[in-house]
Amino acid sequence: MSITRRTLLAGAARAAAGAAVLAGPFGRPARAAAAPLRIGLLLPYSKVYAALGESITDGMRLVFEAQGSTVAGRKVELIKEDEETPQVALRKVRKLVQSDKVDVLVGPVSSAVAAAIRDFVHQSKVLLLVANAGDDSLSRERCSHFIVRTSFSNWQLGWAFGSYAARKLGKAAFVSGADYAAGRQITGGFRESYTQAGGKVIGEAFAPLGTTDYGSYLAQIKAAAPDLSFSFFAGSDAVNFVRQYADYGLKSGIKLTGSGFLVSEDVLPAQGDAALGALSALHYTSALDTPENRSFKERYQKLTGRVANAYAVQGYDTARVIVEALGKTGGRTDDPEALRQAVRGVIFTSPRGPFRLDPANQNVVQDFYVMETRKVGGALVNVPVETIKDVRDPGGCKFD
Ligand code: PHB
């Protein structure tokens, strides 16, 4: 696949760059005429998770464009690569580091890709900001100095919902998910807090990523007759699963629940009323009524024509971490340890709520929202019904 290289800004914004640097909301400009800041984006731009990669990229653009596409005196240059599969992604991350000589890496979306590129990133000492992939091992046995996560760990996503489910929805659950690390780990986190709160997982089923017909899995859920079904599916998988869940008549009797990605704003329009009444947990809903989110949502809508979603916030926050950290290093990215320390100290109020990095594992400590999918003024909205404060992954790392 050919290299896609583009500087971010179109002419109009570029013309305003000088003024925007001074007026930029985050960070401060450093020395002028520095080398461009090359950011390698390893994200999905095709297949099941294509829309996720686009949302993350658009969230980043919002921050950089507000900065006149310049960070600490350096012109931002994004080099985009489609993460595709773990093997292809490993080849592409090598190319980003060795040929393109990127200063910072951002991505991936898939936990399987994250696991595949971890050792190369660790050895290369180029800072990787993980803008989605939740693979738990990156906050635990496979931590790296040079991997910082701005999204979530898979454990956090599942764990955040288990206690609510046991208290409010019933004590028998069936778990299902995409059959790879994300599905296993998110349902694992759910299982932990659900059983601790007195619930029992009475069955499980995992479907290959990209499954289009969930009939046999839905039949297993129906036969088990649980109080609730908890799932991790995302992107086009989430659209297919939720539509078919309604078509197969499971909504009358078995509560549709999951990680919030099952019904997040990127998939709701395609799901329509099939998603109504779902309960889920996530670190973001566009319904959050805060000044930070109101402003973010409005600008995202203007840029893309779409409702904001968690992936876009992850991109936005990742770019903000870059801006804040380079503000501290005076724009320098050539000392990996100094850059890492600057990143670790970044703290701000995100559209998702308070954002800070856990020094023990370099993963975000954040609030999660239990949400119900309702119709508000004719549109499907994930309305927050309960907040779980300061959720942190239990992983502790030896950064040596
Ligand atoms: C993952 O593979 O870690 C993953 C992918 C998509 C999501 C969440 C997690 O929405």
Side-chain angles (χ1 to χ4, degrees), residues 49 52 109-111 132-134 152 154 180 182 232 234 261 311:
Y49 291 158
L52 288 57
V109 157
S110 162
S111 282
N132 187 77
F152 51 81
N154 287 331
Y180 74 107
F232 164 73
F261 292 123
Y311 307 111

Side-chain angles (χ1 to χ4, degrees), residues 355-375:
F355 178 104
R356 70 188 154 95
L357 291 161
D358 190 336
N361 52 35
Q362 302 188 162
N363 182 57
V364 197
V365 182
Q366 58 195 330
D367 297 347
F368 275 77
Y369 308 97
V370 175
M371 324 177 293
E372 183 169 20
T373 308
R374 296 183 191 154
K375 221 165 219 175

